[in-house]
Amino acid sequence: MCGIVGYNGPRNPKDVILDGLRRLEYRGYDSAGVAILHNGEFKRVRASGKLSELSKKLEGEAFGGRLGIGHTRWATHGVPSERNAHPHKVEGVSLVHNGIIENYQEIKQELRQLGAEFTSDTDSELVAHLIARQVRATGDLFKAVQQVIPRLKGAYSILAVWEKQPDTLVAFKNGPPLILGIGDDEIIVASDVQAIVSYTKKVIYLDDFEIAHVRGSDYKLFSATGEPLRKPVHVLNWNADAIEKAGFRHFMLKEIYEQPRAVAQAIAPHIDLERMRVRLSGVGFGVPYEKLEGLDAEQDAAKTAQQLSGIDRIFIVACGTSYYAGQVGKYLLEILARVPVETDIASEFRYREPVIPPHSLVIVISQSGETADTLAALRLAKQAGAMTMSICNVKRSSIDREAQGHLYMNSGVEIGVASTKAFVSTLALLNLFALFVARSRGQLTAEQEKHHLEALLAVPAQMETVLSYDKWFGEAAEQLKGYRGILYMARGANYPIAMEGALKLKELAYMHAEGYAAGEMKHGPLALIDERMLIMMVAPTDHHYEKTLSNLEEAKARGGHIISLGTGDNQELKRLSQYYLSLPKAEWTVSPILAVIPLQLLAYHVADNLGHDVDQPRNLAKSVTVE
Ligand code: M6R
């Protein structure tokens, strides 16, 4: 969703803001703009479309001041256009906003009655109007913001500047993230650390209803009601190199190749290699967030095992790709640990009045940790008295901070809008979690646990071999893009992988795709099959194999063109398929981690071949901070 960057310091604000906005491009946007101090006023330049359009307009523009704000907009209220692009400017107040003001109709009505005129169709402009009215009354931007906050309903993070206080920037939030980067003689405020990390590693994470009052390179933090706050400064341990393409054509391809390492990094903290046991480390159920880092791993693992042994039911709630990871988790947890698991799409869960019995654990999965529906589902689960645990990639994100227990994907920064490495890391974590719960409930012998761990530890090396299909899909893409659509099918723990493959094709190639349980084929989708419909059948040699084979025969008999994914050198699958792709022999528990890679490569190459923007597919955003 929208990206925000504000700069107060001695560098050229235009350069810092544009660089920051570029690093936030992955969040998805459709227009951009800046307002930078020059000769006592904030000069505003905006453009519809990509940042290159804004850069062109800014070429040759000189700015004399130290202070500026910038924004990439993902349209919610009003079409993508220059007129609706941020910053919004009302009587010397300039403002950028990420989120949605839910009571904007009411505010607009009120402002209209007071004679206000609007120059955009956005909800954001109304906040600029409200602040402009208050600075007129108070003569102070910070006081004005304080008075406006109680008027706003919804989710927002906002930066505001006012030309009568040309050294001051005020940042406040309720919902979408906002971070302060503290440099030597400069402050950068942004939606995400990516925009900050080239300039400083020191960051402060604003919480909801907190205000940052930045004057020059000095900052003070307050609650919305004006109490001064002291907050810890965190030091980031990664650098700008982590967010470069490192020679790959796209971030997505780089991230696909990073998957073996991502899985290894996700599982490393949680395996006791000497005893070949899972030792969930740092989950910290109920430990205050700021004390998590000091936990004694052994003690915490023992406590976690005890806490989980009392669980009767698990809910896994997430959106999109994270939801499909959760569905694989259901197979793992039910089969290995014999605990009932319900999976839910977060936007359904939060509104369907779910029955959450006592002794329930609600697991929320979110790469970004900011997805609005998932966050709301987490809050609902807490209110219902459930134990909650998050699986996030972004540490200190809203979901990570609000959950009671925590697991981390450890995938490294994921820039491509299409989630890849975070997905496989989550599968690996859910695998470990299922083994841990299974042991805590007496469902797993030490020998079985060791066997499953060996399968998981072998998977990064096996993933490397599957990545070699990159070349094959690169060559086949030209032909594959000609199909009317692709039907992805599988059974068991690979069924969610079929749905994930279909989602990837839809979001990147904009082609029609369906993910189906292979056993459902006769109940409808068989009618879709002809020679223009490609079937991607995931059919590893497991206990579903014979049945999947029959489904494949049925599809072939109806003229379907088939790519099959099987184990090793499978002559039967070769006979039935146009193309056969071989996967390494693996336990069913890790098979989804291997099977998803060819599906990601297929979507990537077909989309690239079609000339689509693979890293920023149309209409999509990396971090969906509005519902
Ligand atoms: O950050 P989250 O994991 O909560 O995001 C959830 C979905 O928006 C996300 O997985 C989306 O489906 C991806 N674009 C899929 O590639």
Side-chain angles (χ1 to χ4, degrees):
M1 303 260 128
C2 310
I4 285 179
V5 183
Y7 181 73
N8 203 345
R11 299 178 209 251
N12 182 342
K14 176 175 98 175
D15 295 343
V16 180
I17 292 170
L18 272 182
D19 177 51
L21 291 179
R22 235 171 248 126
R23 293 182 186 278
L24 298 181
E25 272 192 304
Y26 74 95
R27 296 168 69 87
Y29 70 102
D30 37 53
S31 58
V34 297
I36 300 173
L37 193 62
H38 184 61
N39 288 343
E41 66 174 278
F42 283 93
K43 189 153 99 185
R44 179 170 68 153
V45 181
R46 301 178 295 172
S48 184
K50 291 286 172 190
L51 268 178
S52 51
E53 299 303 315
L54 179 67
S55 296
K56 269 189 232 152
K57 283 185 146 185
L58 282 168
E59 262 167 37
E61 288 279 356
F63 298 94
R66 293 172 46 111
L67 178 61
I69 55 177
H71 189 263
T72 45
R73 171 174 188 254
W74 191 85
T76 57
H77 296 61
V79 296
S81 65
E82 184 175 334
R83 163 186 152 83
N84 287 329
H86 299 213
H88 292 286
K89 195 169 180 184
V90 178
E91 296 172 24
V93 170
S94 298
L95 167 147
V96 291
H97 164 222
N98 175 16
I100 287 181
I101 305 299
E102 284 169 5
N103 56 337
Y104 86 104
Q105 292 284 19
E106 173 196 318
I107 298 176
K108 193 164 193 172
Q109 178 89 353
E110 177 192 314
L111 287 168
R112 196 173 271 137
Q113 276 163 7
L114 292 167
E117 286 179 7
F118 307 107
T119 57
S120 78
D121 312 311
T122 66
D123 52 344
S124 316
E125 187 191 350
L126 307 179
V127 187
H129 275 276
L130 291 176
I131 296 177
R133 298 186 75 79
Q134 292 305 328
V135 287
R136 236 188 282 147
T138 60
D140 183 69
L141 181 63
F142 177 72
K143 283 187 193 148
V145 164
Q146 264 190 306
Q147 288 171 6
V148 166
I149 290 176
R151 294 293 329 273
L152 306 178
K153 290 200 185 121
Y156 50 81
S157 55
I158 292 178
L159 301 190
V161 289
W162 181 36
E163 56 198 33
K164 296 274 168 53
Q165 289 178 317
D167 61 345
T168 300
L169 179 156
V170 177
F172 57 107
K173 79 161 214 115
N174 172 35
L178 212 47
I179 290 151
L180 244 62
I182 316 294
D184 283 342
D185 181 27
E186 60 189 352
I187 304 280
I188 311 168
V189 190
S191 310
D192 207 334
V193 287
Q194 270 92 319
I196 285 174
V197 75
S198 317
Y199 306 96
T200 176
K201 304 273 185 298
K202 290 191 213 155
V203 297
I204 293 176
Y205 296 84
L206 283 190
D207 281 308
D208 285 350
F209 297 111
E210 290 182 351
I211 314 179
H213 185 188
V214 178
R215 288 185 63 197
S217 56
D218 193 25
Y219 66 92
K220 290 199 170 67
L221 304 172
F222 298 89
S223 71
T225 47
E227 290 87 37
L229 299 172
R230 288 175 71 85
K231 289 182 68 93
V233 177
H234 296 269
V235 181
L236 299 171
N237 64 0
W238 48 276
N239 55 37
D241 299 347
I243 46 177
E244 301 299 343
K245 285 191 199 141
F248 285 91
R249 259 170 68 69
H250 295 101
F251 281 111
M252 179 181 174
L253 190 59
K254 174 178 168 245
E255 286 157 8
I256 289 175
Y257 272 87
E258 283 171 347
Q259 291 184 112
R261 197 177 61 199
V263 167
Q265 286 173 184
I267 61 178
H270 305 299
I271 302 180
D272 178 343
L273 287 170
E274 267 175 35
R275 296 156 74 198
M276 279 307 266
R277 270 163 68 95
V278 186
R279 185 203 58 185
L280 281 192
S281 170
V283 176
F285 277 115
V287 175
Y289 193 81
E290 299 303 336
K291 298 208 168 138
L292 279 178
E293 276 172 14
L295 280 186
D296 176 303
E298 282 296 336
Q299 274 178 16
D300 185 60
K303 207 171 122 203
T304 304
Q306 198 217 338
Q307 286 158 320
L308 290 174
S309 63
I311 288 300
D312 292 337
R313 178 175 291 269
I314 296 178
F315 294 79
I316 306 181
V317 187
C319 300
T321 289
S322 292
Y323 170 67
Y324 295 136
Q327 286 200 314
V328 176
K330 175 182 168 80
Y331 284 88
L332 292 164
L333 278 156
E334 290 199 333
I335 295 173
L336 294 172
R338 307 309 298 156
V339 57
V341 180
E342 277 183 44
T343 53
D344 251 297
I345 291 170
S347 55
E348 288 299 314
F349 182 81
R350 63 181 290 196
Y351 293 118
R352 76 168 168 86
E353 300 184 27
V355 177
I356 307 178
H359 312 296
S360 293
L361 169 69
V362 177
I363 303 175
V364 287
I365 303 174
S366 176
Q367 185 284 131
S368 62
E370 301 293 348
T371 300
D373 283 319
T374 312
L375 181 59
L378 168 64
R379 289 177 179 162
L380 184 145
K382 281 169 83 176
Q383 269 166 15
M387 243 170 106
T388 60
M389 183 178 87
S390 61
I391 302 182
C392 291
N393 196 29
V394 180
K395 274 195 185 178
R396 305 200 62 80
S397 54
S398 304
I399 291 174
D400 176 32
R401 279 181 288 167
E402 291 195 26
Q404 293 155 341
H406 319 262
L407 282 176
Y408 296 106
M409 298 172 192
N410 274 347
S411 318
V413 189
E414 189 178 73
I415 301 284
V417 163
S419 186
T420 52
K421 59 179 180 169
F423 179 72
V424 291
S425 293
T426 309
L427 297 186
L429 282 175
L430 286 166
N431 197 312
L432 287 178
F433 186 72
L435 295 175
F436 189 80
V437 177
R439 176 165 28 89
S440 317
R441 297 168 68 88
Q443 295 287 343
L444 203 67
T445 64
E447 201 46 43
Q448 287 166 326
E449 183 172 358
K450 179 168 174 284
H451 172 77
H452 285 301
L453 278 182
E454 281 167 353
L456 188 57
L457 286 164
V459 106
Q462 294 180 312
M463 294 168 82
E464 300 280 0
T465 68
V466 184
L467 282 170
S468 62
Y469 282 115
D470 181 20
K471 189 162 178 294
W472 188 84
F473 280 110
E475 286 162 9
E478 179 63 27
Q479 202 189 336
L480 299 180
K481 75 178 184 196
Y483 283 94
R484 180 159 57 93
I486 304 186
L487 201 52
Y488 293 77
M489 283 189 276
R491 285 172 180 257
N494 277 312
Y495 160 44
I497 297 303
M499 292 191 287
E500 167 61 6
L503 176 67
K504 283 284 162 290
L505 193 77
K506 284 182 251 199
E507 72 177 326
L508 295 167
Y510 320 148
M511 273 169 73
H512 181 242
E514 300 269 6
Y516 255 98
E520 273 288 289
M521 215 168 68
K522 296 188 195 61
H523 302 284
L526 206 53
L528 284 172
I529 293 176
D530 60 20
E531 67 291 344
R532 288 182 307 139
M533 178 63 87
L534 184 65
I535 293 154
M536 170 61 93
M537 186 68 92
V538 184
T541 313
D542 57 17
H543 57 288
H544 297 291
Y545 174 70
E546 295 300 333
K547 297 213 182 311
T548 313
L549 202 63
S550 314
N551 297 135
L552 213 51
E553 298 270 12
E554 289 157 7
K556 184 164 171 79
R558 274 135 192 110
H561 286 190
I562 297 163
I563 302 183
S564 59
L565 285 183
T567 307
D569 182 27
N570 187 321
Q571 294 301 325
E572 272 171 324
L573 290 178
K574 277 186 186 163
R575 176 178 60 79
L576 286 169
S577 317
Q578 258 71 24
Y579 307 107
Y580 171 69
L581 308 181
S582 152
L583 297 174
K585 189 167 181 305
E587 227 357 285
W588 71 269
T589 49
V590 296
S591 159
I593 303 180
L594 299 171
V596 76
I597 297 174
L599 310 194
Q600 297 166 338
L601 289 167
L602 187 161
Y604 169 80
H605 280 294
V606 171
D608 190 33
N609 191 288
L610 286 165
H612 295 173
D613 185 342
V614 180
D615 283 331
Q616 291 162 43
R618 68 183 182 199
N619 305 337
L620 298 181
K622 181 72 180 163
S623 180
V624 184
T625 50
V626 295
E627 68 170 295

